[in-house]
Amino acid sequence: MEKPYQILAISGSLRAASTNTQILEKISQWVPDTVSWQIYEELAQIPPFDPDYTEYPAAVEQFRTQLLAADALVFCSPEYVFGVPGVLKTCWTGPRRSLPANGMKNLRR
């Protein structure tokens, strides 16, 4: 049997009752059995990006591992001052910088 298509869904809100997270949970009900849908729930554990890191914290490495395993990413995020929330920027900056240059080349855009 072929490996299921893996989607990592990321809510850009940390609120416990986040509408964005609720949307991702609702979408998960419609995902076919041939797709693995995982909502990333550890966004608050990723520390602010520091370019002086010589080693990335465990939370960043775990997120990085999940990014590399994903075939696709889905973001559902609130808008803050015409942009994405800082927590979403942080989650994307550190792990992305620690990836090999071609680490995410297989993600479909």
Side-chain angles (χ1 to χ4, degrees):
M1 188 167 123
E2 194 173 309
K3 173 186 117 173
Y5 191 78
Q6 295 185 34
I7 298 176
L8 181 61
I10 302 168
S11 172
S13 176
L14 298 179
R15 290 186 55 236
S18 165
T19 304
N20 295 283
T21 303
Q22 291 175 18
I23 290 169
L24 293 175
E25 289 169 350
K26 188 66 172 174
I27 291 171
S28 73
Q29 297 172 7
W30 300 326
V31 173
D33 293 339
T34 57
V35 173
S36 170
W37 177 270
Q38 179 185 1
I39 298 175
Y40 184 70
E41 297 177 348
E42 305 298 324
L43 191 60
Q45 305 305 316
I46 296 179
F49 174 68
D50 181 348
D52 292 331
Y53 282 145
T54 55
E55 250 184 66
Y56 287 92
V60 173
E61 290 299 335
Q62 290 168 355
F63 182 57
R64 178 183 181 271
T65 299
Q66 291 179 347
L67 287 174
L68 288 171
D71 294 308
L73 303 174
V74 173
F75 292 91
C76 188
S77 177
E79 174 189 344
Y80 289 114
V81 194
F82 306 105
V84 297
V87 69
L88 198 54
K89 290 178 187 177
T90 293
C91 95
W92 191 243
T93 304
R96 192 188 77 222
R97 288 183 62 146
S98 70
L99 291 171
N102 65 350
M104 298 184 75
K105 69 178 182 178
N106 294 331
L107 282 178
R108 294 191 175 114
R109 296 177 183 153

